Amino acid sequence: VGVIGSQAFTLPSPWGYQCVNNTCVKKLADGTLPLATLNECKLTCGKMGVLWPQPTSASLGSEVAYFLPSNVVLQPSCRGEACSLLQEAFAVFRDNLERYHPLYSNGKAPWMQPWQPDASAHSLVVKVTVTIPEVKMSLDTQEDYLLEVTTAGGVTTVTINANTFFGARHALETLTQLIEYQEIHGLLMVVTSASVRDSPAFSYRGLLLDTSRNFISVAALKRTLDAMAACKLNTLHWHITDTHSFPLYLDTLPNMVYYGAYSSEQVYFPADVREILHYAKVRGIRVLPEFDAPAHVGNGWQWGEMQGLGKLAEPWQSYCVEPPCGQLNLANPNMYSVLGQVYKEFVDVFGPIDLFHYGGDEVNLNCWNTTDEIISWMTRNGYGLHADAYYQQWSIFQEKSHKLLTAANKGVEVPGILWTSHLTEAGRVDRFLNNSQYIIQVWTTGHDPLIAELLQKGYRLIFSNYDAWYLDCGFGAWVGEGNNWCSPYSGWQKVYDNSPHQMALNLTNSTYANLILGGEAALWTEQVDDHNLDAKLWPRGAALAERLWTNPPTGWKQAEFRLIHHRQRLVKRGVLSERIQPQWCHQNEGLCYL
Amino acid sequence: VGVIGSQAFTLPSPWGYQCVNNTCVKKLADGTLPLATLNECKLTCGKMGVLWPQPTSASLGSEVAYFLPSNVVLQPSCRGEACSLLQEAFAVFRDNLERYHPLYSNGKAPWMQPWQPDASAHSLVVKVTVTIPEVKMSLDTQEDYLLEVTTAGGVTTVTINANTFFGARHALETLTQLIEYQEIHGLLMVVTSASVRDSPAFSYRGLLLDTSRNFISVAALKRTLDAMAACKLNTLHWHITDTHSFPLYLDTLPNMVYYGAYSSEQVYFPADVREILHYAKVRGIRVLPEFDAPAHVGNGWQWGEMQGLGKLAEPWQSYCVEPPCGQLNLANPNMYSVLGQVYKEFVDVFGPIDLFHYGGDEVNLNCWNTTDEIISWMTRNGYGLHADAYYQQWSIFQEKSHKLLTAANKGVEVPGILWTSHLTEAGRVDRFLNNSQYIIQVWTTGHDPLIAELLQKGYRLIFSNYDAWYLDCGFGAWVGEGNNWCSPYSGWQKVYDNSPHQMALNLTNSTYANLILGGEAALWTEQVDDHNLDAKLWPRGAALAERLWTNPPTGWKQAEFRLIHHRQRLVKRGVLSERIQPQWCHQNEGLCYL
């Protein structure tokens, strides 16, 4: 076994590393000390090595064995769909090993036979046992796993035990992070002994991507899923449509993209969606579709009158938070027929669904209350025109939406998620929304008293408080002067320290651990497309991931060295992540502080 | 000639465009109006079409002719080096035309023979006359040009007249922007008649890139030069070294990279530099090297004692603005021998030089004043230990540096640039620095009274005021909490409106047009590497470019439509530029405002 210190090679630089007090210290090679390379040191120095997110508990040995990716073998023990997915997940694992090579390109890396015969002969045997054959992601899916690494007689054996495919996949990700590229010899190395016990703190660990303000290609969505998988995030919340564009092709409603897509190339066809769903599943990720209504609609809905269905949605240029404006037309019963059809298509392409996002944010009452058709409908029916009358109608819209979705889902009710809105406000929420039916996604600030009220009334929450978890903030305004509305930018430190339990505790003196399902960072794409997506999502998405997977009692300071390294890992996987520090800080742990 | 409106094709979407009051208005195709595609409309709608930066004056026709890039011919009239560079610049022009195709890849695009025989037969003849055979970039280089486009008998003739190669190259860039991809027919189109007269407002239009905090690859530097060329920026200020790393290989001082590079792969060899210089020249760009001293040195200088030369630089962990710290050791005469050698190598690889950047910023007197060797040297020589004594020694260091550089440059004196620093402060600058010798680069705020003093004392200035033109600001801190020191982020609007003449006027009641050479945006790379470089530079660098090339009396609002389009052009050239608005705003000019 090629263990650190057994080499006679000269480093191509005068510097090497030694692990001192859990820190990799850079030293001048004077020929007396056996110095490790930076990667060798990082793999084993510190209680958690370079694992991200931190597992529940881990114990890592201090030595590494060299090997080549050609000598990696899977020994699966599983049944059913879990088995075929495991094979696919193992192929992803193998590809990630190839990607450690600096000259990786298009699925291949130019590995050379190393000079040490024992490194060439060393093999990595990965024994994976999955108990449950079914593979279905829900809020109750067990994602825990056990992982053991031992080394003897030229073989490193990895034993993974998990209830579900998802747990096993997470274990493979952890194993990838016990492996690194050896910078001098041009091969891989694995920690020779390790024991990891792991399960997530929160069951909902999400990332929102908006594909309406700007279109995001399938390739960029897959790249995002790759990075999510590297961080054990489990939900891609796909905000597919909005007022700006309608990029989803619906078989029975082709007019939606004909009128609503930015161009004929900027469309997701059902086959694209199914490809994304499978790609996500192999990586342990559920894709949660959102169809935002009754506000945040517009482009795509213009064809109603031309087809004799009346106005399905109204564009109100003066009444919305950002142009183009639009809300569904409550007075037009045809709107509900079309909406039901939209839901049918959503369920058809995304199903089976276990969770659905109805949107429901930023309804502007003035939009409805300045339209003759709606005003006369409200009056005719005796509802009146006061705000409460409109809230009532909005809640009826929500009730009908729920019924239409359930019908589309062949009668199977699934929990619905709604954004915080005027409907969820103090004193209003429990009049209109049932807490067993709806999960509330909080996007106000982390100290909003509304959070306390929602928890005290028994609502399950997902945290996306914009003051820490909106990743689009802090740039120039997209129209007008100054910086965008939710500025300043939240650095990874703030993202990391944004603890849902702590926020609940501050507001209520209780963590409400049973009601807080998890959290989600949102990337609204007014100023994002394929070309600048990655740096806004990463590595801040990774900081979110450790908060939600590990929920450590410690803050960003204790995570910094590992995150710097994890960012480099994301880059190796093709993710154009933001750089957060000079490389000198990576090479000189802890010395970047005055 | 395939002119707008002569087509019988159906658009693949119900939408088309019409130019109304200099605005491209999106309309529903009802079969009665001849609607243009978005690109067709943008090319000719508005006085400046989609030219960026705006030329001094332009008059554009309202029709376009279709053609294929295979039918483009250069007819040059030139002598000497200007001729060979022109051929290279024309190859770049051709490649940029290919890049307009959405399926461009690796230098090629799948152009098809169009259905219209006249479009297939249409040719574009580019006649370029350059008067001066020499090709040397300096602060006096003439960059002006005239460009005429006429169309007759299936031929579009472009006539370009320029004094220098640089003017001609800029004209080719302008011509590229009179051409666009036709989205439906899959070919190119050019404005059939145009007349452009153009010359820059400022002679120094720069971008600073730091390659020490993080390494930037040759490929990323070339990509940056491509984008600069698209915007007619003419100076890449290369901040090569700093305390963090020393990535430049010096033939006679190989220890500098051996000790100072981040790794053996993160090094610029002389051949790399020469390749970059030539690549830049073809694109009308001078590469200005900076060797920052006496502060901002450190890694790379550690070998002095081992080689018997004493300490060349001192690392002072507690005295600098960011670790790692370091300043040259004034008390060690060997330091000057090595410095002279460094300059020789810089001149050798970057020469002939017409301008040099000495750095000279952020000297920390405490660094020197806490080191026994320097204290005893100061005392022994009777200089004393008060601040002024150190300023005196620093200015002597600068004088010696100037002599060493001039010697390295075979006795030819060239102007030196220095950052504003304690040495350039009120009442101090003219005691220490000669205004014919030194140009001052201002990096304080745009309302710093120092600007007035420097102008009143006759110093030539380059503006890089950090409150608008530091492009690294507004992100999370790279060490510690909160956001980085120069937050908030400056949006493109602020970058655009940052007018050097206006700043001078506000402070002095005069524009000092003769002393203000221009400006430069800086990208310090503590949080930047190859992977997230582009979005921080672009399109804000383009906003800077229009301020410096055109210096329009108008503000960002009048530039917005063109910038949105120019951003898309940068993306087509492979630059991963920031997206600044929803695509809906590009497709619906002016309607994104409430």
Side-chain angles (χ1 to χ4, degrees), chain B residues 64-278:
Chain B
V64 297
Y66 296 160
F67 71 101
L68 288 171
S70 46
N71 292 337
V72 177
V73 183
L74 172 67
Q75 293 182 358
S77 167
C78 50
R79 286 174 301 136
E81 201 193 341
C83 250
S84 62
L85 280 177
L86 186 59
Q87 293 288 356
E88 288 189 71
F90 197 73
V92 173
F93 166 77
R94 272 181 176 287
D95 184 54
N96 286 334
L97 296 191
E98 297 286 332
R99 284 173 183 271
Y100 275 129
H101 198 291
L103 299 178
Y104 172 92
S105 165
N106 281 324
K108 277 182 199 157
W111 302 99
M112 311 268 279
Q113 280 300 323
W115 62 275
Q116 312 104 313
D118 51 358
S120 306
H122 196 91
S123 63
L124 184 73
V125 177
V126 186
K127 299 179 177 178
V128 185
T129 304
V130 176
T131 320
I132 300 173
E134 287 77 34
V135 180
K136 213 185 144 215
M137 179 70 98
S138 77
L139 289 172
D140 304 317
T141 294
Q142 299 169 70
E143 298 178 273
D144 56 301
Y145 66 88
L146 290 173
L147 181 153
E148 298 285 335
V149 182
T150 57
T151 300
V155 179
T156 294
T157 305
V158 181
T159 311
I160 290 170
N161 280 289
N163 289 308
T164 66
F165 158 74
F166 297 104
R169 190 222 74 86
H170 293 326
L172 287 176
E173 182 55 49
T174 301
L175 177 57
T176 314
Q177 303 184 358
L178 294 171
I179 295 170
E180 252 298 355
Y181 180 71
Q182 213 283 355
E183 304 96 311
I184 298 174
H185 305 309
L187 34 66
L188 291 175
M189 51 196 168
V190 58
V191 177
T192 53
S193 76
S195 173
V196 177
R197 174 182 295 273
D198 204 6
S199 71
F202 293 100
S203 63
Y204 187 104
R205 306 183 305 280
L207 207 56
L208 175 147
L209 250 189
D210 161 11
T211 57
S212 173
R213 272 59 177 256
N214 278 305
F215 184 77
I216 307 289
S217 71
V218 171
L221 286 171
K222 286 183 174 175
R223 205 164 67 230
T224 302
L225 290 165
D226 290 341
M228 289 177 70
C231 303
K232 302 190 176 76
L233 288 169
N234 70 358
T235 305
L236 176 66
H237 171 178
W238 191 354
H239 183 87
I240 309 175
T241 64
D242 210 295
T243 41
H244 294 72
S245 74
F246 198 111
L248 183 66
Y249 185 86
L250 304 180
D251 277 327
T252 59
L253 295 167
N255 273 334
M256 303 304 279
V257 298
Y258 183 63
Y259 287 91
Y262 279 135
S263 76
S264 54
E265 283 84 38
Q266 292 168 298
V267 171
Y268 306 107
F269 289 96
D272 296 323
V273 177
R274 293 197 177 96
E275 187 183 331
I276 290 165
L277 294 181
H278 184 75

Side-chain angles (χ1 to χ4, degrees), chain B residues 407-465:
Chain B
N409 200 31
K410 299 182 182 68
V412 182
E413 279 201 56
V414 297
I417 307 180
L418 282 172
W419 293 104
T420 45
S421 71
H422 287 304
L423 216 57
T424 67
E425 268 173 15
R428 202 176 279 146
V429 57
D430 44 344
R431 275 174 55 209
F432 295 133
L433 302 169
N434 184 322
N435 68 10
S436 67
Q437 181 56 49
Y438 291 105
I439 296 163
I440 309 296
Q441 183 164 10
V442 176
W443 68 279
T444 57
T445 66
H447 47 263
D448 187 341
L450 174 65
I451 294 169
E453 171 158 343
L454 291 170
L455 290 170
Q456 281 150 359
K457 288 183 173 168
Y459 287 90
R460 288 164 293 171
L461 301 189
I462 294 166
F463 276 75
S464 295
N465 51 305

